[in-house]
Every structure is written in C-alpha cells, then in structure tokens.
Amino acid sequence: MFPLKDAEMGAFTFFASALPHDVCGSNGLPLTPNSIKILGRFQILKTITHPRLCQYVDISRGKHERLVVVAEHCERSLEDLLRERKPVRYPSYLAPEVIAQGIFKTTDHMPSKKPLPSGPKSDVWSLGIILFELCVGRKLFQSLDISERLKFLLTLDCVDDTLIVLAEEHGCLDIIKELPETVVDLLKKCLTFHPSKRPTPDELMKDKVFSEVSPLYTPFTKPAGLFSSSLRCADLTLPEDISQLCKDINNDYLAERSIEEVYYLWCLAGGDLEKELVNKEIIRSKPPICTLPNFLFEDGESFGQGRDRSSLLDDTTVTLSLCQLRNRLKDVGGEAFYPLLEDDQSNLPHSNSNNELSAAATLPLIIREKDTEYQLNRIILFDRLLKAYPYKKNQIWKEARVDIPPLMRGLTWAALLGVEGAIHAKYDAIDKDTPIPTDRQIEVDIPRCHQYDELLSSPEGHAKFRRVLKAWVVSHPDLVYWQGLDSLCAPFLYLNFNNEALAYACMSAFIPKYLYNFFLKDNSHVIQEYLTVFSQMIAFHDPELSNHLNEIGFIPDLYAIPWFLTMFTHVFPLHKIFHLWDTLLLGNSSFPFCIGVAILQQLRDRLLANGFNECILLFSDLPEIDIERCVRESINLFCWTPKSATYRQHAQPPKPTSDSSGVRSSAPYFSAECPDPPKTDLALVLKLYYLLGTVLTTWLTGVTLNLSVTQYTLMTNLHMYS
C-alpha cells in the first residue's frame, strides 16, 4: 500500500439484506449470512492500488448484518469542485443495463449462471455521467426522485443522441455546444446506451482527448512484489539533488507509513469504528421496546414492525481522527522510523531493537501485541528486513526469536520457510479446474474447517480453500489428500487471503519440513515411527506420566495422530496456532514432539488421576491450554532433549547448511539442526545408553511398562549398529 501522506482515513457503514432464520441450504446447513459473503468478496478490493485511487483498507462486521468499510479518504472531492463550479452519488450514475437487471439474488450452493451486468463498460457509462456534470457545472436529476431517475435512464433507449437529450432535459444545451469537439465526442462514446456498442476502457484510452493528455503523466507500474521473478531494485532511482530531498522531508513520520499500518496502529491506540459512527449519529440506537412488533405468530413471523430508518443506506463518510494515535507516538523519535540494519555475524540470535524496547520485550506476548509503540517499532523493523529478503534472512530469523508482529506474520512465515522465486507463475501454471477423485472429500472437509472465522467461512474463503488444496494435490502426484490437510492449509490461507500463490508456497514448504512423507498413500510406517519417538520423549521427560499412560493403555495412537498430522491446527483455534507456529517455524522437525509433551504436562494432574475412559473423554474435548506456557516449556524441552533421541529414519533428508550466496540456511535458533543418524560408534553407544536409561528409570519406579515402544527403538538402533 502507498503511504498515508496528506490523505486521511474514513469509514462508512451499510446493512446487508438479512436472510430468513428458518431456511437452510441444499446441504442442510444454515445459509451463509449476506454480510459474510460481502466480507469475503470485499478482500480483493484491498489489492487494488494506484496513486490516483483511494485505497480500501478494511471491512468489519457488526450486529444485525451491519458492515463498516474503512478506506483512504480525501476531504476535497469532485463534488466539492462541482459545487464551486470548477461528483459520486448513485443511482444516478448506474448504467442502464445495471438498472434493467434489478436485484438478483443467489442462494448458497446454487451458483447463478446468469452473467452479472456490472463490468468495465458499466464504469465507462458512470464516467460519462461524471464528466457531463463537471462540464455543465451541475448535478443531474436533482428535480426527480429515485424511481423517476431510473425510469428516465431506461427511456434513453428510444432516443438517437443520449447526450443531447440529457442536455435538453437539464437546460444546458448551450454549454454542451460550446465544448471542444473532442470532449463532445468523448461524452457521446461514454454515454452510448447499448453496452455492446459502448467502448471498453482500453478503447476509450485511445481517444484524442487522452492521447493529448497522457504524455503529461508517467504511467503507473505496480512495483514488483516480495516473491517475484522481477528485480525489485530495477526501478529504483535517486533524485539528482540529494540536498533538496532532505529539505522536502517533514517531521510527520507517521504520514510516510502505509495506510494499512496506520490503521492497524490506530486500532491499537484505542480506535473504535462503531464509536466514531455513533458520535457522528450515523449509527443510532432505539429503545428495545420501540422495536417490538405489533403481531407475533407462533412460528416467529412478525407484523406491524416499522422499518428502522437507521438501517437505510447512508453513504456519509466519517473521517477517523488520528489525534489519539499521534499523541501516543509523540515521544517516538524519528530514528525509530528509519532503523539502522547492522550486520550481525554472531551465531546466536540477538534483537536489533533499541534498548528502550528491551523492557517491553520481556512482557507477555499478548501485552506486547497490544502495545502501540512496541508494535510500531517491530512493524517498521520487520518491514525493512523483509524488503531486504533473502539478503537479511539471518536477521529475520533472529528478530523472529523475540516475536513476530501480527501485521507482518504472513510474509515473515514465508521468509522463515525459505519461500523464494516466481511463486505466482508456478501457482498459475497448476491445473486447478479439471475434476480429480479427491474433489468430493475436499468439498466435504472445507465446510468443517475453522468455520468460526468469518473470512474462512465465506463462499470466497471456501473457493480459495478449494483452489489451494487442489493445487497442492495436483502438484504432488506422489502424495495423497488426507483428512486434516484442510486444517493445515487454514493458517496460511487466513494470513495470505489475497495471495493464494503465497499460501500454496508456504504450505508446500511447510509439509516436507515438518510432515515429510506423512501424506503418502501408505503412511503407516511413517506415523508409527513418529508415535514411537513421541512415546520415547514422554518416557524421557516424565517417566511417571509415561508409566501411568502405558499401564492404562492410553497410547499416543489414540490421541496424538490428529495433533501431528495437522501440526495442532485441528486442536487449537487460529489465534493460538499463530503464536504456536511463530515458535514452531524456528525449530526443526523434532520440535513438534516437544509441543506434544508440553501439552501433556499441562494436563498431567488430570491424566494421573484418571483411568482409560476418563482420559478418552478428556481428549475428546481438550481443556483450555495456555499457549504461552506451552511455547516456553516446548523450548525448554527441546534444549534438554539429546539430539539423537529424536532421530527418525523416515525424516526429511538433510540439506546443505549454507548456499553459494553466503546466507546461512534456516537452521533452528534453539540448537543446530541434527537430522543425520549417528555415524560413529560412540554416538550409537550413547544413544543406546539413553534408551537403556529410559527402561531402567521405568523399572526403578516399580510400575509395569509395556516395552513395545522401547523395544522397537532398541531393535532399530541395534540393527544400525551391527
């Protein structure tokens, strides 16, 4: 997004039409509210960026199908210029074909085959009306009500010259005749009644009017993205006079940040959209007794309830004041907006944040994520580091050890996973339309995957789910779709909702690192080895709990497969997964074992006090887990565990530790990556001693242990040793 500069942020609200409560879709599920549909479809508008277009920033859903849109807002508009005689309200600007279409509704699971009338040519008509008003210096149809305006526009089908009829209707024919011939010709092209004869925007740009003006403007080229085959530095230019550049820099550093960042910080600083709209009387509340209907039938149908005027469309835009945010950041120096990225060649990760933030870095994560000043510094730092990716890959890893700002989480995860190259070209080349055998299973799984989230539960979210999952299945012919892959996809899709290619690339990099060969058609040997090592980890870190679980027969096969197959995304909601994976992505493929043990230790007392049936019930509805505590204990467990104890024969083969560019590979910050099997006699003997120690510890506790897990590991290692 572009910097805020002199613009402001504005908000406006509207209601989506409500659906009946007693109607279900063809699948038996309640219909998706229209506000959820709008929420999903709105997201694509956030990707439209241009210097001469106001940027859409966010949309939020309130009660009773209310939606609030936040966008870049300029106080001075075309309408202001029109009032000064130097425009845009609907429905006067709607094209005739849009009016003739009327309101067309579709139901869930029954997509409409009827083409929507709105499109680029409809926008050409609207442009013609705007230009007409600017040329004549007045607004059209002011003397007509809405229904009469619509009727008049439809009757233009019977006239030969739409422009002349509009001019005569508004008494401005003389003004039109005085316009240059090129302008009149442009207006006639835009106001062509039949869309089939109306030019497209591309064709309109070839008109003489634009050919004379276009050389005065530099064509806008969207800058290359972070993951692109194009050089991001290709169009970088420095001004000829550096001293003049320094003079042009003002002290309003916040205005140099992107609109998305400013809005995020505005919310952290206490900004409340609904409160702003209430203060401007855009949202009005009525006493509940005044909303009661006159008649109410047994089936819930009501009559005699007047429509609330506040639910009618009001396109008033309320400017969001930045005073509170600026006041919160008044003590933040200018150097915080331009941090110096120093090269740090040390092996251990250290944060480059300044000393003033060191105290805040020790606070709980949930507090840091709500601290405006702290998030400002972290966002700016990560923004600069990511723009230098992959050159600054090491520093991204080091800063991620402290925490990852939520606003930058999607790109940061991609960097931690080592995503590079032309990901969009690769994703676009995958056939996501041809039917495949797994289509049916994907369709069944998606409506059950994190549907508490408004974005993922929208029809647009379902469509994106379908495309990303299908792209992964098609591009990995040696693997198959297992239930749980949808849950694994959910965090990446949520963070990259408008970038399916990046969501796909992240998932494709994540699976081989943490779930290597888990999605084979016959994955029993991989799963069994994984559970065996997990049992070994439980026995090493908590022998008493391990003995108890083995004694009652509550083995990992009964509860841990969904944990590891989905990397806990089937167990925890998304907000907990984000914090968990922020740390998981810094560890190697054995780190999930430590997470699993940490979860069991939080439930330790309840597990030790119960038998098999009670444990089954406990895990059928997992109690609340403290994720921050889980993360802390997972790191400690990881550091305390001998590397050889988590060796797996079916783990991903090791990769080189460095590349030709000199950038260190993504090794975990907790300790060095050690995926290789023990190769020396001493290493093997030490591992055997570790395993024998586990058996001995079990024997000393005086509890009978089912040794099948340990025996399996011993036999495997003895075979290797021989």
Side-chain angles (χ1 to χ4, degrees):
M1 290 187 176
F2 294 101
L4 183 65
K5 294 293 185 181
D6 298 329
E8 296 181 275
M9 295 187 301
F12 62 91
T13 183
F14 63 94
F15 284 91
S17 58
L19 296 172
H21 297 287
D22 56 346
V23 178
C24 295
S26 57
N27 60 357
L29 298 175
L31 295 176
T32 303
N34 286 325
S35 56
I36 295 287
K37 295 180 182 178
I38 295 172
L39 188 87
R41 294 185 62 186
F42 175 88
Q43 302 304 315
I44 193 65
L45 297 179
K46 294 161 63 174
T47 66
I48 302 174
T49 58
H50 194 280
R52 290 178 283 278
L53 288 177
C54 284
Q55 177 74 49
Y56 282 104
V57 181
D58 190 30
I59 185 171
S60 63
R61 181 170 175 258
K63 298 179 180 178
H64 312 299
E65 295 293 87
R66 179 184 290 279
L67 291 159
V68 181
V69 175
V70 180
E72 180 183 4
H73 178 59
C74 296
E75 288 287 349
R76 192 169 179 80
S77 65
L78 281 175
E79 188 173 1
D80 297 324
L81 297 177
L82 185 61
R83 290 196 187 104
E84 299 171 8
R85 294 185 62 85
K86 296 272 184 181
V88 181
R89 296 186 182 275
Y90 34 80
S92 304
Y93 301 90
L94 292 178
E97 63 271 18
V98 178
I99 299 172
Q101 175 69 24
I103 299 176
F104 185 77
K105 296 183 179 180
T106 59
T107 59
D108 281 0
H109 319 293
M110 298 280 292
S112 169
K113 296 182 180 179
K114 193 170 184 179
L116 294 175
S118 184
K121 288 193 174 184
S122 301
D123 295 334
V124 170
W125 173 278
S126 302
L127 173 65
I129 297 293
I130 294 172
L131 292 176
F132 184 95
E133 291 185 341
L134 291 174
C135 289
V136 301
R138 67 185 70 174
K139 297 184 71 66
L140 301 185
F141 312 117
Q142 291 299 295
S143 61
L144 304 177
D145 59 30
I146 293 179
S147 60
E148 291 176 335
R149 296 180 195 179
L150 300 181
K151 291 178 182 178
F152 177 80
L153 288 172
L154 292 178
T155 59
L156 294 176
D157 183 26
C158 305
V159 303
D160 296 328
D161 194 325
T162 303
L163 178 63
I164 298 300
V165 172
L166 285 175
E168 291 176 344
E169 179 70 21
H170 293 84
C172 54
L173 185 59
D174 293 339
I175 299 178
I176 293 296
K177 290 181 178 179
E178 294 176 359
L179 294 175
E181 184 179 347
T182 54
V183 175
V184 173
D185 184 54
L186 176 65
L187 286 172
K188 288 185 176 181
K189 289 179 180 179
C190 292
L191 297 177
T192 302
F193 187 88
H194 291 284
S196 59
K197 300 178 181 179
R198 195 182 308 147
T200 63
D202 287 337
E203 294 169 344
L204 204 63
M205 286 296 295
K206 299 174 183 177
D207 192 271
K208 292 181 180 179
V209 173
F210 296 115
S211 62
E212 295 173 359
V213 178
S214 57
L216 303 177
Y217 296 91
T218 304
F220 171 70
T221 303
K222 196 170 184 179
L226 181 59
F227 304 101
S228 171
S229 58
S230 304
L231 286 175
R232 284 176 278 159
C233 59
D235 298 322
L236 293 180
T237 56
L238 288 175
E240 296 180 0
D241 188 358
I242 299 295
S243 59
Q244 183 61 38
L245 176 65
C246 297
K247 294 178 181 178
D248 293 339
I249 296 178
N250 56 35
N251 293 326
D252 189 5
Y253 301 109
L254 187 64
E256 298 300 319
R257 304 309 304 172
S258 72
I259 301 171
E260 182 185 26
E261 290 178 18
V262 174
Y263 174 67
Y264 180 77
L265 295 170
W266 179 83
C267 293
L268 290 182
D272 188 324
L273 290 176
E274 187 168 332
K275 183 179 178 181
E276 295 287 338
L277 294 170
V278 169
N279 290 341
K280 297 296 183 180
E281 297 186 349
I282 303 299
I283 296 180
R284 307 183 190 91
S285 59
K286 293 177 63 176
I289 193 170
C290 297
T291 63
L292 294 176
N294 294 336
F295 299 99
L296 184 65
F297 289 169
E298 292 181 354
D299 60 359
E301 190 174 5
S302 60
F303 296 93
Q305 186 178 16
R307 185 170 183 180
D308 189 354
R309 298 289 300 177
S310 63
S311 66
L312 300 179
L313 178 64
D314 186 346
D315 61 352
T316 302
T317 299
V318 175
T319 303
L320 304 180
S321 174
L322 298 179
C323 294
Q324 187 172 351
L325 174 59
R326 294 186 187 279
N327 186 56
R328 284 291 300 270
L329 303 178
K330 64 181 180 181
D331 296 327
V332 178
E335 64 276 5
F337 290 85
Y338 303 96
L340 179 63
L341 303 183
E342 299 176 357
D343 289 329
D344 188 356
Q345 301 299 331
S346 63
N347 292 326
L348 293 177
H350 299 287
S351 172
N352 287 330
S353 302
N354 56 48
N355 295 330
E356 297 177 0
L357 298 176
S358 58
T362 62
L363 295 173
L365 181 60
I366 192 171
I367 296 179
R368 279 178 276 156
E369 290 188 347
K370 300 297 182 183
D371 187 289
T372 309
E373 295 89 340
Y374 183 81
Q375 285 300 309
L376 171 68
N377 282 271
R378 299 298 288 170
I379 288 171
I380 292 174
L381 178 59
F382 270 82
D383 179 56
R384 295 204 66 192
L385 289 173
L386 288 168
K387 286 177 178 176
Y389 175 80
Y391 175 67
K392 290 293 184 181
K393 178 189 289 187
N394 284 351
Q395 286 182 265
I396 294 174
W397 273 75
K398 293 172 182 180
E399 290 298 336
R401 180 192 181 191
V402 180
D403 56 44
I404 299 176
L407 189 65
M408 314 300 293
R409 182 171 278 130
L411 292 177
T412 304
W413 279 14
L416 295 179
L417 287 167
V419 174
E420 292 184 31
I423 60 173
H424 292 88
K426 182 178 179 180
Y427 181 73
D428 293 341
I430 300 174
D431 181 8
K432 299 176 282 290
D433 299 319
T434 303
I436 57 176
T438 56
D439 284 350
R440 173 59 183 164
Q441 189 60 54
I442 292 175
E443 290 291 341
V444 171
D445 289 346
I446 288 175
R448 302 181 298 191
C449 180
H450 293 281
Q451 294 302 285
Y452 55 85
D453 180 78
E454 295 176 344
L455 208 55
L456 297 183
S457 65
S458 66
E460 193 69 22
H462 286 194
K464 290 178 179 290
F465 252 132
R466 193 179 304 111
R467 288 192 292 268
V468 174
L469 288 172
K470 195 166 180 177
W472 187 88
V473 173
V474 170
S475 60
H476 296 80
D478 55 325
L479 304 176
V480 298
Y481 178 89
W482 282 92
Q483 281 186 296
L485 190 64
D486 53 321
S487 297
L488 203 60
C489 173
F492 297 119
L493 181 60
Y494 180 90
L495 294 175
N496 304 286
F497 196 80
N498 286 322
N499 195 340
E500 293 178 30
L502 186 55
Y504 162 80
C506 288
M507 189 171 74
S508 298
F510 181 92
I511 290 176
K513 180 178 180 181
Y514 297 100
L515 295 167
Y516 186 72
N517 281 344
F518 264 62
F519 294 94
L520 289 172
K521 187 173 184 179
D522 180 11
N523 63 357
S524 57
H525 58 292
V526 180
I527 297 289
Q528 186 57 50
E529 182 192 41
Y530 205 92
L531 296 177
T532 299
V533 176
F534 181 54
S535 297
Q536 185 173 292
M537 285 280 290
I538 301 172
F540 178 77
H541 289 289
D542 198 334
E544 182 183 2
L545 178 61
S546 175
N547 290 339
H548 174 71
L549 295 179
N550 281 296
E551 186 179 45
I552 65 175
F554 192 65
I555 58 176
D557 305 57
L558 299 174
Y559 62 88
I561 292 178
W563 290 7
F564 299 123
L565 190 63
T566 67
M567 277 298 124
F568 308 97
T569 55
H570 188 69
V571 183
F572 297 125
L574 285 175
H575 70 277
K576 290 189 175 183
I577 288 296
F578 293 150
H579 290 168
L580 188 65
W581 280 20
D582 281 351
T583 303
L584 172 66
L585 293 177
L586 298 170
N588 61 19
S589 59
S590 63
F591 193 77
F593 295 128
C594 303
I595 297 176
V597 175
I599 293 174
L600 291 179
Q601 288 187 338
Q602 284 200 37
L603 304 173
R604 188 176 191 274
D605 293 340
R606 299 178 68 172
L607 291 171
L608 290 174
N610 290 305
F612 178 84
N613 293 335
E614 292 79 8
C615 289
I616 288 289
L617 290 175
L618 180 67
F619 277 77
S620 64
D621 186 14
L622 195 68
E624 184 72 16
I625 299 294
D626 185 342
I627 285 295
E628 278 204 65
R629 175 186 165 189
C630 180
V631 169
R632 289 195 307 269
E633 293 180 352
S634 299
I635 296 174
N636 292 334
L637 291 168
F638 186 88
C639 296
W640 295 337
T641 304
K643 298 181 183 68
S644 59
T646 56
Y647 166 71
R648 291 185 296 118
Q649 184 179 358
H650 299 291
Q652 184 184 24
K655 295 181 178 180
T657 57
S658 62
D659 54 33
S660 58
S661 65
V663 179
R664 186 172 66 88
S665 66
S666 303
Y669 80 82
F670 307 116
S671 63
E673 177 79 64
C674 184
D676 298 325
K679 295 177 181 177
T680 65
D681 292 350
L682 178 61
L684 286 168
V685 170
L686 289 174
K687 179 163 185 179
L688 292 177
Y689 269 120
Y690 158 72
L691 295 169
L692 290 171
T694 303
V695 177
L696 183 61
T697 303
T698 302
W699 177 74
L700 289 174
T701 59
V703 180
T704 303
L705 171 66
N706 181 354
L707 294 180
S708 59
V709 169
T710 309
Q711 287 172 349
Y712 172 85
T713 311
L714 279 170
M715 291 175 63
T716 302
N717 286 277
L718 285 170
H719 175 71
M720 289 172 53
Y721 188 66
S722 62

